[in-house]
Amino acid sequence: MKMCWHCVAKFFVLCVAVVRVDAVQRFIEMPTYTEVNPGEDALLKCRISDKKGVCSWQKDNKPVGIYRGKYEWANENSPVGGDCSLWVRAATLQLDDGQWQCQVTASNYDVQDALSSPPAALAVRVPPQSPRILFNGSHVMPGQNITVPAGSRATVVCEARYGNPPAYIEWYLEKERLTAWSQTNASEVERPRVWASRSVLELGATRSAHGRQLACRAHHPSYPSPYYKDSFTMLDVTFVPVVSIVGADASSLGNLEEGSSALSLECRAEGNPAPYVWWTRNGQVIATNGPKLILAPVSRNHSGIYGCQARNSLGTSDSVKIEIDIKYPPRVTWVGPDTVVEANLFSQVTLECKADGNPTPSYQWYHNPTPSVHINSAPEDGYPAATTAQLQLHNVSYNQHGRYTCVAVNHIGVEERTHQSEPITLNVLGPPVGAETGTAHAWSGAEGRVHATVCADPAPRRAAWLWGSLRLDVPSQIGRYRALEPSGANGCYRYTLLISSTAVSDARVYVLHVENERGFSSHAVSLTVHGKSLEDTRLDIQ
Ligand SMILES: *[C@@H]1O[C@H](CO)[C@@H](O)[C@H](O)[C@H]1NC(C)=O
Ligand SMILES: *[C@@H]1O[C@H](CO)[C@@H](O)[C@H](O)[C@H]1NC(C)=O
Ligand SMILES: *[C@@H]1O[C@H](CO)[C@@H](O)[C@H](O)[C@H]1NC(C)=O
Ligand SMILES: *[C@@H]1O[C@H](CO)[C@@H](O)[C@H](O)[C@H]1NC(C)=O
Ligand SMILES: *[C@@H]1O[C@H](CO)[C@@H](O)[C@H](O)[C@H]1NC(C)=O
């Protein structure tokens, strides 16, 4: 033996042979974990080299006898030869499930080489019950909901009971495999041979998981193919509502016109449980038909800041706001100070126009507008006298006498909208006013006409032509001289002195004297009488 330990490699085989001679017995195969279906046979393996003792088996620390048809040596001759393997025939859970040990007595009473294998389990398979999911201390029926608030963590348990060996449990969120926090296997109290397997899942509830299926899968070889069973539940993830407004695009909000446009908005709320939705206008709750806000047709009263909000048992959403601005065409609401305004000549006059409209209208004032067919359209010709709400006349003259209208203008979309006021009549009161000097021409022997134009309001009550020592009241006639009734328009009067058979001696200055309640004026017209040839005279006139 001693020399054997010094053997070189090439003598190794010989060396082993030599060792065997006085070798101690030892295991070359020990029983291992074995599973068997009920009623089937299980082979518990145990092989010994240099066996000199006697084989025996223990189950759960108790000796097992050899009984034909139940516990049989695998190799009839072998207990002598070294194979101590044991057949367990027609295995049953009650009799055979347990910890088995293979043992061999010592070679001799003075040799301490008795063998005992570590216990190896023989599991007689028992299919576990179908897996069940527990949440918050109670069973969740298949397909039922698990309700968890978003952002929280839910502890969900799956158990598969009364199985042997314990079932192996997996979790799935739809197709995605989840990692359980732990699985424990505990023998059932009242039936210690079988196991209760429990897997605990810590599930982070997210909104995206809402409505998805959470499945627990128990694997067990005794289950029918495919050797697993599922239990599933639906995730009901609750969350505070989030709202958005549908139908509020810039183009539909930009050109809302009173009376003709309609607006349909929806407050879309996502939330679980299904939220209650409401609308506000300028902060006040308004009555709507659920999440829909329908304004048809829109009116200016509908303008304001609208908000949509939703609430459920978890909380209240933020308010989403939009501004609604209803456009409407201008309307002149007031012009003044009155429909008829009297002003002193050379005084200051202010006419004012008020209009509403959205957008805020601009103003145009027109003097003596041509009467328009439609009150809503601006006068077609003429420039505005002013483009402000107030028309200021700083030094009123007679030619500013007349009718004034105000036109309010705004734009809705690309369209111009206008509204024209009732006219204001401006009467300019003052003494007669006209050119102080003038000229006239006549042909010798023909009819001569001397004109002067005077504006006055009130109308002149008296007028007379004066020349030399003569005075001819209007209207009247002396000899060849006739003072005609004035022709008037717009507060101005054209006076004519008619001279028949004009003589060269008629060339002189004629003075028109006009008078009204406010005063008087004089206008000197110088008459030139022509007696020359037609051509020469024409040149003169020019
Ligand atoms: C658990 O159940 C109890 C009563 O059944 C209930 O009051 C509690 O809100 C539940 N907890 C959760 C997280 O569902
Ligand atoms: C489960 O939750 C969904 C979504 O909240 C709900 O529609 C459904 O009615 C619930 N089912 C049960 C059985 O409670
Ligand atoms: C429970 O049993 C399963 C299946 O047999 C096994 O995979 C798992 O490791 C066991 N867990 C524990 C803690 O024993
Ligand atoms: C607008 O509101 C006023 C007062 O609130 C009301 O008198 C009027 O009838 C409303 N007009 C429309 C078109 O709704
Ligand atoms: C007003 O107009 C008249 C006539 O054109 C002129 O004589 C007068 O000086 C003016 N007055 C003022 C205050 O401008």
Side-chain angles (χ1 to χ4, degrees):
M1 174 115 175
K2 235 176 214 166
M3 73 177 226
C4 176
W5 292 124
H6 300 119
C7 279
V8 288
K10 61 179 168 181
F11 300 119
F12 186 70
V13 174
L14 174 67
C15 183
V16 167
V18 171
V19 167
R20 273 199 175 158
V21 175
D22 352 312
V24 290
Q25 57 183 7
R26 59 185 175 86
F27 284 114
I28 48 178
E29 188 171 13
M30 289 193 287
T32 54
Y33 174 76
T34 305
E35 281 181 22
V36 63
N37 291 326
E40 290 179 358
D41 301 341
L43 179 62
L44 301 177
K45 290 194 173 159
C46 181
R47 288 195 297 124
I48 319 291
S49 79
D50 298 301
K51 175 172 158 292
K52 299 198 186 71
V54 178
C55 290
S56 69
W57 285 82
Q58 278 198 350
K59 175 188 167 257
D60 296 333
N61 298 321
K62 298 219 173 88
V64 176
I66 300 297
Y67 304 97
R68 177 154 281 281
K70 185 59 188 174
Y71 304 122
E72 297 174 355
W73 295 117
N75 189 336
E76 207 60 66
N77 316 322
S78 183
V80 194
D83 189 349
C84 300
S85 300
L86 183 75
W87 276 110
V88 175
R89 301 292 184 188
T92 70
L93 180 71
Q94 288 71 23
L95 296 177
D96 306 321
D97 189 87
Q99 302 293 332
W100 291 74
Q101 283 172 284
C102 173
Q103 298 177 329
V104 185
T105 58
S107 333
N108 206 336
Y109 65 89
D110 58 352
V111 183
Q112 304 258 306
D113 64 352
L115 297 174
S116 184
S117 72
L122 172 63
V124 179
R125 287 176 184 145
V126 177
Q129 294 176 348
S130 294
R132 293 202 293 180
I133 292 177
L134 290 98
F135 177 63
N136 191 21
S138 56
H139 285 287
V140 181
M141 292 299 128
Q144 251 192 357
N145 284 345
I146 286 183
T147 299
V148 269
S152 71
R153 298 194 75 79
T155 302
V156 191
V157 176
C158 178
E159 62 177 23
R161 298 190 60 180
Y162 302 107
N164 191 39
Y168 173 65
I169 296 174
E170 288 178 335
W171 291 92
Y172 288 90
L173 185 61
E174 304 278 336
K175 298 266 178 284
E176 179 200 352
R177 174 92 193 266
L178 301 178
T179 307
W181 187 59
S182 70
Q183 174 174 343
T184 56
N185 308 313
S187 60
E188 298 283 0
V189 176
E190 74 278 29
R191 287 167 61 191
R193 293 280 163 220
V194 290
W195 301 87
S197 308
R198 281 195 182 81
S199 176
V200 180
L201 179 71
E202 287 282 323
L203 182 72
T206 59
R207 268 187 60 180
S208 61
H210 175 62
R212 296 176 74 188
Q213 194 184 71
L214 177 69
C216 148
R217 173 169 294 179
H219 291 268
H220 198 276
S222 301
Y223 280 148
S225 171
Y227 312 111
Y228 61 74
K229 288 188 179 178
D230 288 344
S231 171
F232 67 90
T233 169
M234 305 302 290
L235 288 181
D236 180 29
V237 180
T238 56
F239 50 94
V240 177
V242 175
V243 293
S244 58
I245 295 175
V246 182
D249 50 301
S251 67
S252 68
L253 289 186
N255 292 309
L256 290 169
E257 183 173 351
E258 180 174 59
S260 61
S261 306
L263 185 62
S264 172
L265 299 176
E266 187 181 342
C267 180
R268 187 165 291 167
E270 279 184 69
N272 183 27
Y276 169 74
V277 175
W278 71 94
W279 283 91
T280 58
R281 179 170 161 267
N282 299 333
Q284 303 283 309
V285 176
I286 51 174
T288 55
N289 183 15
K292 290 227 166 184
L293 175 69
I294 294 170
L295 307 174
V298 294
S299 83
R300 68 193 69 185
N301 288 9
H302 292 140
S303 290
I305 307 286
Y306 284 75
C308 118
Q309 248 179 314
R311 180 181 65 219
N312 66 11
S313 54
L314 274 84
T316 302
S317 73
D318 286 341
S319 177
V320 172
K321 292 194 170 72
I322 55 165
E323 180 170 6
I324 291 177
D325 184 30
I326 308 296
K327 308 288 194 294
Y328 50 96
R331 196 173 59 87
V332 176
T333 53
W334 186 81
V335 275
D338 214 331
T339 50
V340 176
V341 173
E342 310 216 312
N344 289 329
L345 186 66
F346 306 139
S347 70
Q348 177 174 320
V349 171
T350 300
L351 304 183
E352 197 178 348
C353 184
K354 288 180 183 165
D356 65 9
N358 187 19
T360 306
S362 60
Y363 298 88
Q364 293 169 355
W365 282 96
Y366 290 90
H367 183 205
N368 288 331
T370 50
S372 27
V373 185
H374 302 293
I375 191 104
N376 282 327
S377 66
E380 289 177 10
D381 55 354
Y383 293 100
T387 55
T388 51
Q390 290 192 338
L391 170 64
Q392 304 244 359
L393 303 174
H394 293 289
N395 186 2
V396 176
S397 61
Y398 282 122
N399 58 25
Q400 288 172 322
H401 152 104
R403 300 196 315 148
Y404 288 82
T405 56
C406 160
V407 177
V409 183
N410 74 3
H411 289 84
I412 296 176
V414 294
E415 267 181 69
E416 183 182 81
R417 304 303 186 89
T418 62
H419 184 240
Q420 184 175 335
S421 70
E422 292 296 321
I424 296 177
T425 302
L426 176 66
N427 290 328
V428 180
L429 301 177
V433 171
E436 280 174 20
T437 59
T439 57
H441 295 270
W443 291 106
S444 172
E447 186 186 69
R449 284 168 180 267
V450 175
H451 301 289
T453 299
V454 171
C455 299
D457 194 358
R461 63 180 174 196
R462 216 171 9 237
W465 289 95
L466 307 169
W467 68 97
S469 56
L470 285 175
R471 174 193 171 95
L472 185 60
D473 286 330
V474 176
S476 67
Q477 183 170 14
I478 307 176
R480 292 184 297 113
Y481 305 96
R482 188 144 72 100
L484 301 182
E485 196 74 72
S487 58
N490 286 326
C492 292
Y493 305 85
R494 179 177 163 93
Y495 288 85
T496 304
L497 175 67
L498 211 58
I499 305 170
S500 55
S501 308
T502 313
V504 173
S505 60
D506 288 327
R508 57 160 62 242
V509 171
Y510 296 83
V511 174
L512 174 68
H513 191 89
V514 185
E515 190 186 322
N516 72 359
E517 287 105 80
R518 300 295 184 106
F520 58 86
S521 62
S522 296
H523 313 274
V525 185
S526 164
L527 175 67
T528 309
V529 179
H530 303 277
K532 301 179 194 166
S533 75
L534 196 65
E535 285 77 6
D536 295 345
T537 309
R538 262 193 198 141
L539 286 174
D540 276 359
I541 291 168
Q542 289 164 359

